[in-house]
Amino acid sequence: MQQLEGLLRKAMQQYDMIKAGDRICVGVSGGKDSVALTVALARLARYFEKPYTVCAVTLDPGFGGVTADYSALEALFRSYGVEYHIHRTEIGHIVFDVRKEQNPCALCAKMRRGALHTAAQQLGCRKVALGHHLDDAVETFYMNLFREGRIGCFSPVTYLSERRLTVIRPMVLATEQEVRDAVRALSLPVVKSRCPADGATARQQTKDFVHARCREDRAFRQKTLGALQKAGIDGWGVLKP
Protein backbone atom coordinates (compact mmCIF):
# COMPACT_ATOMS: atom_id res chain seq x y z
CA MET A 1 0.00 0.00 0.00
CA GLN A 2 2.88 2.38 0.67
CA GLN A 3 4.02 1.91 -2.94
CA LEU A 4 0.52 2.70 -4.18
CA GLU A 5 0.34 5.78 -1.96
CA GLY A 6 3.64 6.96 -3.45
CA LEU A 7 2.28 6.61 -6.99
CA LEU A 8 -0.88 8.49 -6.00
CA ARG A 9 1.17 11.27 -4.47
CA LYS A 10 3.31 11.53 -7.61
CA ALA A 11 0.25 11.79 -9.87
CA MET A 12 -1.47 14.26 -7.58
CA GLN A 13 1.63 16.48 -7.60
CA GLN A 14 2.43 16.18 -11.31
CA TYR A 15 -1.09 16.93 -12.45
CA ASP A 16 -1.94 19.38 -9.65
CA MET A 17 -5.02 17.36 -8.68
CA ILE A 18 -5.48 18.67 -5.15
CA LYS A 19 -6.03 22.11 -3.69
CA ALA A 20 -5.81 22.79 0.03
CA GLY A 21 -9.19 22.29 1.65
CA ASP A 22 -10.62 20.06 -1.08
CA ARG A 23 -13.44 17.70 -0.18
CA ILE A 24 -13.09 14.72 -2.51
CA CYS A 25 -15.91 12.35 -3.38
CA VAL A 26 -14.66 8.89 -4.42
CA GLY A 27 -16.92 6.84 -6.64
CA VAL A 28 -16.85 3.35 -5.14
CA SER A 29 -18.20 0.49 -7.23
CA GLY A 30 -17.06 -2.04 -4.65
CA GLY A 31 -14.31 -3.47 -6.84
CA LYS A 32 -10.64 -3.58 -5.93
CA ASP A 33 -9.71 -0.36 -7.77
CA SER A 34 -12.20 1.99 -6.12
CA VAL A 35 -11.72 0.40 -2.69
CA ALA A 36 -7.92 0.70 -2.96
CA LEU A 37 -8.26 4.32 -4.12
CA THR A 38 -10.46 5.25 -1.16
CA VAL A 39 -8.13 3.68 1.40
CA ALA A 40 -4.99 5.10 -0.25
CA LEU A 41 -6.48 8.62 -0.35
CA ALA A 42 -7.55 8.34 3.29
CA ARG A 43 -4.07 7.23 4.36
CA LEU A 44 -2.34 9.82 2.17
CA ALA A 45 -4.49 12.61 3.64
CA ARG A 46 -2.64 12.15 6.93
CA TYR A 47 0.58 13.54 5.51
CA PHE A 48 -0.07 15.09 2.07
CA GLU A 49 1.22 18.64 1.88
CA LYS A 50 -2.21 20.04 0.92
CA PRO A 51 -4.90 19.10 3.46
CA TYR A 52 -8.04 17.50 2.05
CA THR A 53 -10.90 15.29 3.21
CA VAL A 54 -12.41 12.17 1.64
CA CYS A 55 -15.95 10.86 1.38
CA ALA A 56 -17.16 7.90 -0.67
CA VAL A 57 -20.32 7.14 -2.63
CA THR A 58 -21.56 3.80 -3.94
CA LEU A 59 -24.32 3.68 -6.53
CA ASP A 60 -25.87 0.24 -6.22
CA PRO A 61 -27.18 -0.52 -9.75
CA GLY A 62 -29.42 -3.33 -8.50
CA PHE A 63 -28.37 -5.78 -11.21
CA GLY A 64 -30.83 -8.66 -11.43
CA GLY A 65 -33.09 -6.94 -8.94
CA VAL A 66 -30.65 -7.81 -6.15
CA THR A 67 -29.57 -5.30 -3.52
CA ALA A 68 -25.85 -5.69 -2.89
CA ASP A 69 -24.38 -5.96 0.61
CA TYR A 70 -21.80 -3.24 1.26
CA SER A 71 -21.53 -3.76 5.03
CA ALA A 72 -17.87 -4.84 4.76
CA LEU A 73 -17.03 -1.58 2.99
CA GLU A 74 -18.99 0.42 5.56
CA ALA A 75 -16.86 -1.10 8.32
CA LEU A 76 -13.63 -0.58 6.37
CA PHE A 77 -14.25 3.06 5.57
CA ARG A 78 -15.44 3.76 9.11
CA SER A 79 -12.08 2.50 10.39
CA TYR A 80 -10.35 5.11 8.22
CA GLY A 81 -12.74 7.90 9.13
CA VAL A 82 -14.19 8.07 5.63
CA GLU A 83 -17.80 9.28 5.34
CA TYR A 84 -19.65 6.66 3.25
CA HIS A 85 -22.96 6.89 1.41
CA ILE A 86 -24.84 4.14 -0.45
CA HIS A 87 -27.41 5.17 -3.04
CA ARG A 88 -29.76 2.45 -4.28
CA THR A 89 -30.68 2.91 -7.96
CA GLU A 90 -32.59 1.18 -10.74
CA ILE A 91 -29.80 1.57 -13.30
CA GLY A 92 -29.50 -2.18 -13.85
CA HIS A 93 -33.25 -2.55 -14.37
CA ILE A 94 -33.36 0.34 -16.85
CA VAL A 95 -30.34 -0.79 -18.87
CA PHE A 96 -31.05 -4.52 -19.05
CA ASP A 97 -34.81 -4.93 -18.50
CA VAL A 98 -36.40 -1.74 -19.84
CA ARG A 99 -34.00 -0.68 -22.58
CA LYS A 100 -32.62 -4.18 -23.22
CA GLU A 101 -29.37 -2.64 -24.46
CA GLN A 102 -27.27 -4.80 -26.78
CA ASN A 103 -24.21 -2.75 -25.79
CA PRO A 104 -25.12 -1.80 -22.22
CA CYS A 105 -21.82 -0.38 -20.99
CA ALA A 106 -22.16 3.09 -22.53
CA LEU A 107 -25.64 3.77 -21.15
CA CYS A 108 -24.81 2.26 -17.76
CA ALA A 109 -21.65 4.37 -17.48
CA LYS A 110 -23.54 7.53 -18.50
CA MET A 111 -26.26 6.97 -15.91
CA ARG A 112 -23.82 6.12 -13.12
CA ARG A 113 -21.67 9.12 -14.01
CA GLY A 114 -24.62 11.50 -13.82
CA ALA A 115 -25.81 10.03 -10.51
CA LEU A 116 -22.31 10.22 -9.02
CA HIS A 117 -21.86 13.84 -10.03
CA THR A 118 -25.22 14.74 -8.50
CA ALA A 119 -24.33 12.93 -5.28
CA ALA A 120 -20.98 14.72 -5.11
CA GLN A 121 -22.64 18.11 -5.46
CA GLN A 122 -25.19 17.24 -2.78
CA LEU A 123 -22.32 16.33 -0.45
CA GLY A 124 -20.59 19.66 -1.05
CA CYS A 125 -17.70 18.21 -3.05
CA ARG A 126 -15.90 19.99 -5.88
CA LYS A 127 -13.70 17.01 -6.73
CA VAL A 128 -14.71 13.52 -7.83
CA ALA A 129 -12.04 10.81 -7.74
CA LEU A 130 -12.27 7.73 -9.98
CA GLY A 131 -10.30 4.50 -9.65
CA HIS A 132 -8.84 4.29 -13.15
CA HIS A 133 -5.27 3.01 -13.19
CA LEU A 134 -2.53 2.84 -15.83
CA ASP A 135 -3.88 -0.35 -17.40
CA ASP A 136 -7.26 1.35 -17.87
CA ALA A 137 -5.56 4.28 -19.60
CA VAL A 138 -3.57 2.02 -21.91
CA GLU A 139 -6.66 -0.04 -22.77
CA THR A 140 -8.71 3.09 -23.44
CA PHE A 141 -6.03 4.46 -25.75
CA TYR A 142 -5.95 1.29 -27.85
CA MET A 143 -9.73 0.90 -27.83
CA ASN A 144 -10.05 4.39 -29.27
CA LEU A 145 -7.34 3.69 -31.84
CA PHE A 146 -8.50 0.26 -33.02
CA ARG A 147 -12.29 0.65 -32.74
CA GLU A 148 -12.84 4.33 -33.52
CA GLY A 149 -9.73 5.21 -35.52
CA ARG A 150 -8.81 8.12 -33.28
CA ILE A 151 -6.02 8.98 -30.88
CA GLY A 152 -7.33 9.83 -27.44
CA CYS A 153 -7.71 8.79 -23.84
CA PHE A 154 -9.44 9.94 -20.68
CA SER A 155 -7.59 12.71 -18.85
CA PRO A 156 -5.86 12.62 -15.46
CA VAL A 157 -7.82 15.79 -14.60
CA THR A 158 -11.07 16.91 -16.23
CA TYR A 159 -13.06 20.02 -15.39
CA LEU A 160 -16.81 19.73 -15.98
CA SER A 161 -17.95 23.31 -16.48
CA GLU A 162 -21.70 22.50 -16.50
CA ARG A 163 -21.38 20.74 -13.14
CA ARG A 164 -18.57 22.90 -11.79
CA LEU A 165 -16.85 19.69 -10.76
CA THR A 166 -13.33 18.45 -11.36
CA VAL A 167 -12.81 14.75 -12.02
CA ILE A 168 -9.42 13.40 -10.93
CA ARG A 169 -7.82 9.99 -11.43
CA PRO A 170 -5.07 9.70 -8.81
CA MET A 171 -4.10 6.10 -9.71
CA VAL A 172 -3.17 6.74 -13.37
CA LEU A 173 0.53 6.02 -12.72
CA ALA A 174 -0.17 2.71 -10.93
CA THR A 175 -0.54 -0.58 -12.80
CA GLU A 176 -3.42 -2.93 -12.11
CA GLN A 177 -0.98 -5.38 -10.53
CA GLU A 178 0.26 -2.71 -8.11
CA VAL A 179 -3.34 -1.99 -7.12
CA ARG A 180 -4.02 -5.71 -6.71
CA ASP A 181 -0.92 -6.10 -4.53
CA ALA A 182 -2.05 -3.25 -2.25
CA VAL A 183 -5.50 -4.80 -1.84
CA ARG A 184 -3.97 -8.16 -1.02
CA ALA A 185 -1.44 -6.68 1.42
CA LEU A 186 -4.18 -5.11 3.56
CA SER A 187 -6.75 -7.86 2.88
CA LEU A 188 -9.22 -5.21 1.73
CA PRO A 189 -12.79 -6.43 1.15
CA VAL A 190 -14.33 -6.11 -2.30
CA VAL A 191 -17.89 -6.54 -3.56
CA LYS A 192 -18.04 -8.61 -6.74
CA SER A 193 -19.95 -7.09 -9.63
CA ARG A 194 -23.24 -8.75 -10.60
CA CYS A 195 -23.26 -7.09 -14.02
CA PRO A 196 -24.59 -9.54 -16.66
CA ALA A 197 -22.09 -8.14 -19.19
CA ASP A 198 -19.07 -8.51 -16.91
CA GLY A 199 -16.14 -10.14 -18.77
CA ALA A 200 -17.89 -10.07 -22.16
CA THR A 201 -17.18 -6.53 -23.32
CA ALA A 202 -14.98 -4.82 -25.87
CA ARG A 203 -12.81 -3.61 -23.01
CA GLN A 204 -12.14 -7.18 -21.94
CA GLN A 205 -10.98 -7.98 -25.46
CA THR A 206 -8.64 -4.98 -25.39
CA LYS A 207 -7.42 -6.00 -21.92
CA ASP A 208 -6.51 -9.41 -23.33
CA PHE A 209 -4.62 -7.71 -26.17
CA VAL A 210 -2.65 -5.51 -23.76
CA HIS A 211 -1.79 -8.47 -21.53
CA ALA A 212 -0.52 -10.39 -24.58
CA ARG A 213 1.68 -7.46 -25.64
CA CYS A 214 3.01 -7.07 -22.08
CA ARG A 215 4.06 -10.71 -22.04
CA GLU A 216 6.18 -9.98 -25.11
CA ASP A 217 7.38 -6.58 -23.90
CA ARG A 218 7.23 -5.87 -20.16
CA ALA A 219 7.71 -2.13 -20.84
CA PHE A 220 4.65 -1.92 -23.11
CA ARG A 221 2.48 -0.06 -20.58
CA GLN A 222 5.23 2.41 -19.69
CA LYS A 223 6.01 3.03 -23.36
CA THR A 224 2.36 3.85 -24.01
CA LEU A 225 2.32 6.14 -20.96
CA GLY A 226 5.46 7.85 -22.23
CA ALA A 227 3.86 8.40 -25.63
CA LEU A 228 0.77 9.94 -24.03
CA GLN A 229 2.89 12.26 -21.90
CA LYS A 230 5.31 13.30 -24.65
CA ALA A 231 2.49 14.03 -27.08
CA GLY A 232 0.45 15.83 -24.42
CA ILE A 233 -2.67 13.93 -25.47
CA ASP A 234 -5.78 14.90 -23.49
CA GLY A 235 -3.87 16.62 -20.71
CA TRP A 236 -1.35 13.84 -20.07
CA GLY A 237 1.59 16.07 -20.86
CA VAL A 238 0.65 18.93 -18.54
CA LEU A 239 3.08 18.03 -15.79
CA LYS A 240 4.16 20.19 -12.91
CA PRO A 241 7.94 20.70 -12.68
Side-chain angles (χ1 to χ4, degrees), residues 11-13 15-27 37 41 48 50-57 116-130 156-160 163-170:
M12 289 158 66
Q13 292 172 331
Y15 293 102
D16 196 22
M17 294 183 180
I18 303 295
K19 303 295 183 185
D22 273 347
R23 177 169 161 81
I24 303 170
C25 176
V26 185
L37 173 61
L41 281 174
F48 194 69
K50 297 177 182 178
Y52 63 87
T53 57
V54 180
C55 67
V57 171
L116 176 61
H117 294 167
T118 297
Q121 290 176 313
Q122 291 174 343
L123 291 169
C125 300
R126 293 293 186 183
K127 296 279 175 73
V128 173
L130 302 180
V157 178
T158 305
Y159 179 65
L160 307 177
R163 290 277 193 169
R164 299 179 67 184
L165 287 172
T166 299
V167 176
I168 61 175
R169 296 176 168 90

Side-chain angles (χ1 to χ4, degrees), residues 184-215:
R184 186 181 299 116
L186 292 184
S187 299
L188 299 179
V190 298
V191 179
K192 184 173 175 55
S193 172
R194 293 178 177 269
C195 175
D198 194 30
T201 63
R203 179 166 291 277
Q204 183 62 48
Q205 296 170 7
T206 309
K207 182 185 289 289
D208 294 340
F209 162 77
V210 171
H211 283 176
R213 290 294 297 118
C214 288
R215 284 194 293 271

Side-chain angles (χ1 to χ4, degrees), residues 22-39:
D22 273 347
R23 177 169 161 81
I24 303 170
C25 176
V26 185
V28 178
S29 66
K32 69 180 189 314
D33 302 332
S34 57
V35 172
L37 173 61
T38 305
V39 171

Side-chain angles (χ1 to χ4, degrees), residues 1 4 26-40 56-61 63 68-70 72-74 76-77 84 112 129-133 136 171 176 179-184 187-195 198:
M1 179 56 76
L4 182 62
V26 185
V28 178
S29 66
K32 69 180 189 314
D33 302 332
S34 57
V35 172
L37 173 61
T38 305
V39 171
V57 171
T58 290
L59 303 168
D60 181 7
F63 290 128
D69 179 9
Y70 298 101
L73 297 186
E74 288 181 292
L76 172 69
F77 296 153
Y84 184 43
R112 294 175 75 161
L130 302 180
H132 296 124
H133 45 61
D136 290 324
M171 293 203 304
E176 184 172 21
V179 175
R180 188 179 290 114
D181 289 344
V183 169
R184 186 181 299 116
S187 299
L188 299 179
V190 298
V191 179
K192 184 173 175 55
S193 172
R194 293 178 177 269
C195 175
D198 194 30

Side-chain angles (χ1 to χ4, degrees), residues 60-227:
D60 181 7
F63 290 128
V66 177
T67 297
D69 179 9
Y70 298 101
S71 57
L73 297 186
E74 288 181 292
L76 172 69
F77 296 153
R78 189 182 308 115
S79 71
Y80 282 97
V82 174
E83 180 184 329
Y84 184 43
H85 301 267
I86 301 171
H87 293 195
R88 308 293 181 180
T89 77
E90 295 188 353
I91 292 176
H93 173 64
I94 293 171
V95 172
F96 290 99
D97 302 326
V98 177
R99 295 282 295 269
K100 300 183 186 300
E101 291 286 323
Q102 295 298 310
N103 298 298
C105 296
L107 177 60
C108 183
K110 180 179 181 180
M111 294 181 69
R112 294 175 75 161
R113 185 164 55 246
L116 176 61
H117 294 167
T118 297
Q121 290 176 313
Q122 291 174 343
L123 291 169
C125 300
R126 293 293 186 183
K127 296 279 175 73
V128 173
L130 302 180
H132 296 124
H133 45 61
L134 178 57
D135 288 60
D136 290 324
V138 172
E139 291 158 16
T140 298
F141 175 80
Y142 288 108
M143 281 183 67
N144 289 336
L145 180 63
F146 295 152
R147 295 180 174 274
E148 299 181 22
R150 66 182 179 89
I151 294 176
C153 187
F154 57 70
S155 303
V157 178
T158 305
Y159 179 65
L160 307 177
S161 57
E162 292 184 2
R163 290 277 193 169
R164 299 179 67 184
L165 287 172
T166 299
V167 176
I168 61 175
R169 296 176 168 90
M171 293 203 304
V172 289
L173 301 184
T175 66
E176 184 172 21
Q177 186 60 53
E178 288 167 327
V179 175
R180 188 179 290 114
D181 289 344
V183 169
R184 186 181 299 116
L186 292 184
S187 299
L188 299 179
V190 298
V191 179
K192 184 173 175 55
S193 172
R194 293 178 177 269
C195 175
D198 194 30
T201 63
R203 179 166 291 277
Q204 183 62 48
Q205 296 170 7
T206 309
K207 182 185 289 289
D208 294 340
F209 162 77
V210 171
H211 283 176
R213 290 294 297 118
C214 288
R215 284 194 293 271
E216 299 173 7
D217 179 3
R218 297 185 65 179
F220 182 71
R221 292 182 187 86
Q222 295 300 327
K223 288 178 179 177
T224 304
L225 171 63

